Amino acid sequence: MLTTATVRELKPREKMYEVTCAAMAGFVVRVLPTGKKVFLVRHQVDGQWRREKIGVMGPSLGIDEARRRAVLMLGVSERDEPTVQPVTRRSAPRSTRRVEPVKQVESRRPTVRELADRFVRDFIDVYLKPSTAINYRKHLADHILPVLGGRDFESVTRSDAQALHVGLKHIPGSANYALCVLGSLYKRITIDWELSDMRNPSHGVRRFKMKTRERFLAPEERRHVEEVMLRGLQIPPGRKGHLDRMSVWALQLLSLTGLRRDEILNLAWPMVDWQHSCLNLPDTKTGQRNIPVPSQVMALLRQIHDRTGNRKEGLVVHSRTGRKLTGLNLTWKKIREAVGIPDVRLHDLRHSFASDALGGGVPLAIVGEMLGHRQPNTTKRYAHLANRVVREALEHTAGLIVAATTTARALSVAPFEPLRDGQWATIVTLVDADRPRGGKPVDLRQVVDGIRWVLHTQAHWQDIPASYAAPTTCWRWYKRWCADETWPKVEALIAAPSATPARQPKPRALPAGRAS
């Protein structure tokens, strides 16, 4: 007889094998080479042996539950079960006594709708946040169950999931979300509940690309928003343009922290750590978070604390009855219309916080930490802003390098020396022969020195000192002398030893005690 102990002792082999329960005909456990154990029922249909899968042995399916399901599938009670000998996978069962024919009943797997009910009960209502749970139930009821609800759960394939997704192409956001819910349902079926070894039908289905909205507040827009909020606080209640101070405080906290809307609206005074200047949020979208905040936020929190009676309990921003503040989106709509920025959503305050941080040189990874992103890919939407900061840093670094190399080059060049009289005497005939007659008189010696200064310092022509000829004059003569090959001859004559006076040897020092 198959018991929990005997099934656990079954060891995997190189090939799959089966063991039949001696106390119940048709109740079989299959042992796979991987060590996984699968419960089956075996019966005859039209003279042919058929096997129906009960499920994989695991925490949610033990031997007793598998035996109970086998009884229902075979249509017999445990007290009327015949005794049979264990058989191998390919052999028919050999009975030790005469066995009456077993009444055959149609075995049926659960439908997607039946497992969806368990999905809602055991997963959605237990593990998901209320807002997420509402979306899961809505997409199950509106999109998944009307198409796949009546299907045997193992008959749903990747093609079916893709057809479901394509059928919602007119609402691509909901189509992607429905595929996500379907994948979560089958993850529970195949992994958590171990009801099947089938592949998750949502795997590999290509999602629709969604356009990401990127709207960031400019400094001028921030200033106008603040001005509108301050004016709204001064307008009496009931008058057009009046703003509630709690809503204004909430918006200011959102702008200064980059937190999500509900993280601010659910912020309570016990979560404020005055000593360490941080917020201890026990439950956020990414779990528990400890968020350091700047002094400006702590000053605003202290102002709110003082003006609301220095309470130790309750929400930081709240309604008149002390409950969670509502209508913040409506307040923001009034403000953005007054400012003239109707395209800026409330969530864009969070994006603007990230934009300002990156514009100030904060690394992309640190911005992800500040925003509480669990996955690095979430922060990559701001990567193009980080590239701008990187480019500015590159420009600054390259400028420092160029400045250093320019200084080094300037230090390595010897000071420029104008032509000496002896050098000019060797070239005057050559350059003067090229002078056009009847033109404007030009001091060719200054022209030659201007050209030599540019070539020596590697400077621009417009930087020629005023003590030499005009930059345009020097440049034109240089082009002319290069074209008729006069300049190479000028350089050769200047560099010739005969053009440079010989250096006089230094007098030797007389030995001590001798007269000169």
Side-chain angles (χ1 to χ4, degrees):
M1 177 178 177
L2 291 178
T3 63
T4 301
T6 57
V7 173
R8 286 180 177 174
E9 291 175 357
L10 296 175
K11 304 299 182 183
R13 302 173 185 173
E14 293 184 1
K15 295 184 178 180
M16 174 191 70
Y17 68 96
E18 294 179 351
V19 176
T20 304
C21 181
M24 180 179 179
F27 182 40
V28 180
V29 60
R30 176 183 292 171
V31 183
L32 303 179
T34 60
K36 186 176 293 187
K37 301 177 177 66
V38 184
F39 294 113
L40 310 167
V41 293
R42 182 176 57 202
H43 55 87
Q44 279 189 333
V45 178
D46 298 330
Q48 299 291 328
W49 286 101
R50 299 286 180 85
R51 288 172 173 77
E52 297 290 340
K53 183 177 179 180
I54 301 174
V56 180
M57 182 179 180
S60 60
L61 184 62
I63 185 71
D64 296 332
E65 174 63 18
R67 190 188 307 276
R68 186 187 67 80
R69 296 185 188 181
V71 169
L72 296 176
M73 294 172 71
L74 292 172
V76 298
S77 62
E78 291 194 59
R79 65 173 179 269
D80 296 332
E81 293 162 3
T83 302
V84 296
Q85 296 294 333
V87 297
T88 61
R89 180 172 178 268
R90 296 185 178 277
S91 61
R94 297 180 181 178
S95 303
T96 56
R97 60 184 176 85
R98 185 183 181 88
V99 181
E100 296 295 330
V102 178
K103 180 181 179 181
Q104 302 295 332
V105 296
E106 182 181 359
S107 60
R108 183 181 66 83
R109 296 188 185 90
T111 63
V112 174
R113 188 181 306 276
E114 292 170 343
L115 293 178
D117 293 338
R118 181 179 176 183
F119 179 53
V120 172
R121 183 178 63 255
D122 295 349
F123 180 76
I124 294 178
D125 292 343
V126 176
Y127 295 104
L128 301 185
K129 295 183 182 298
S131 58
T132 307
I134 291 174
N135 288 330
Y136 267 55
R137 292 194 197 95
K138 176 177 176 58
H139 283 78
L140 273 173
D142 294 350
H143 304 306
I144 298 176
L145 296 182
V147 178
L148 303 174
R151 296 272 298 273
D152 171 359
F153 80 92
E154 281 197 333
S155 68
V156 178
T157 63
R158 175 181 170 182
S159 177
D160 297 321
Q162 189 167 12
L164 170 69
H165 187 245
V166 172
L168 301 173
K169 63 182 179 180
H170 58 288
I171 43 175
S174 294
N176 291 345
Y177 204 100
L179 203 61
C180 171
V181 175
L182 181 66
S184 181
L185 168 61
Y186 271 87
K187 185 177 181 180
R188 310 284 87 75
I189 292 173
T190 57
I191 297 179
D192 293 358
W193 305 335
E194 296 182 332
L195 298 182
S196 175
D197 293 332
M198 66 178 294
R199 181 181 180 182
N200 194 319
S202 69
H203 285 178
V205 178
R206 186 176 181 181
R207 270 65 168 173
F208 293 123
K209 291 184 178 180
M210 303 298 296
K211 294 182 179 179
T212 57
R213 294 185 58 181
E214 294 181 349
R215 179 63 166 89
F216 311 110
L217 285 174
E220 303 81 19
E221 293 173 335
R222 283 193 180 277
R223 184 174 62 255
H224 293 159
V225 167
E226 188 67 19
E227 292 173 353
V228 169
M229 290 194 297
L230 293 178
R231 287 199 303 267
L233 291 175
Q234 297 172 0
I235 298 175
R239 299 278 186 89
K240 184 179 180 181
H242 168 74
L243 296 177
D244 179 68
R245 64 177 182 176
M246 285 291 180
S247 298
V248 171
W249 284 336
L251 292 172
Q252 289 174 336
L253 289 172
L254 287 172
S255 298
L256 291 173
T257 61
L259 294 177
R260 301 176 179 90
R261 182 192 61 182
D262 284 349
E263 292 172 347
I264 291 297
L265 297 183
N266 293 327
L267 180 64
W269 288 117
M271 303 177 190
V272 180
D273 188 339
W274 299 102
Q275 181 179 359
H276 300 96
S277 299
C278 63
L279 305 178
N280 298 315
L281 304 186
D283 186 22
T284 70
K285 186 177 180 180
T286 55
Q288 182 177 357
R289 291 182 61 198
N290 183 280
I291 306 170
V293 293
S295 58
Q296 295 85 347
V297 174
M298 296 305 297
L300 178 58
L301 288 173
R302 191 164 297 280
Q303 177 189 353
I304 299 172
H305 192 249
D306 293 341
R307 297 190 60 179
T308 54
N310 296 320
R311 298 184 306 157
K312 295 183 178 180
E313 300 294 334
L315 298 173
V316 173
V317 290
H318 53 79
S319 65
R320 295 177 181 177
T321 60
R323 297 181 179 179
K324 184 176 179 179
L325 186 66
T326 59
L328 189 60
N329 284 327
L330 182 59
T331 301
W332 176 247
K333 181 180 179 182
K334 295 178 180 178
I335 294 173
R336 69 186 189 184
E337 289 177 351
V339 177
I341 49 173
D343 58 329
V344 179
R345 305 165 301 165
L346 187 62
H347 195 69
D348 290 330
L349 294 177
R350 179 173 167 86
H351 297 327
S352 298
F353 178 85
S355 173
D356 292 339
L358 290 167
V362 180
L364 190 64
I366 301 300
V367 172
E369 291 289 336
M370 294 165 63
L371 297 177
H373 289 163
R374 182 182 299 173
Q375 300 295 335
N377 288 336
T378 310
T379 318
K380 286 185 177 179
R381 67 181 301 173
Y382 306 110
H384 66 287
L385 299 175
N387 290 340
R388 182 187 65 191
V389 178
V390 171
R391 178 170 295 280
E392 292 175 356
L394 288 171
E395 293 287 347
H396 175 71
T397 305
L400 294 177
I401 295 173
V402 170
T405 55
T406 302
T407 304
R409 188 183 303 116
L411 292 175
S412 63
V413 177
F416 174 72
E417 294 182 0
L419 286 171
R420 291 186 293 273
D421 293 339
Q423 292 174 319
W424 171 247
T426 59
I427 66 170
V428 61
T429 305
L430 179 63
V431 298
D432 190 64
D434 209 20
R435 182 201 301 267
R437 303 306 173 188
K440 185 178 180 180
V442 177
D443 189 342
L444 293 181
R445 182 169 181 172
Q446 291 183 354
V447 171
V448 173
D449 276 338
I451 296 172
R452 293 178 60 244
W453 182 88
V454 170
L455 299 179
H456 180 82
T457 61
Q458 297 294 318
H460 297 286
W461 291 95
Q462 61 266 25
D463 296 332
I464 295 177
S467 58
Y468 305 126
T472 304
T473 303
C474 294
W475 180 80
R476 288 177 176 174
W477 276 98
Y478 177 68
K479 291 295 183 182
R480 180 175 181 174
W481 285 334
C482 287
D484 61 10
E485 298 183 356
T486 299
W487 186 254
K489 299 176 183 178
V490 171
E491 287 186 323
L493 290 173
I494 293 174
S498 59
T500 304
R503 293 183 179 180
Q504 297 296 329
K506 293 182 180 180
R508 294 183 179 180
L510 294 175
R514 287 188 180 180
S516 55

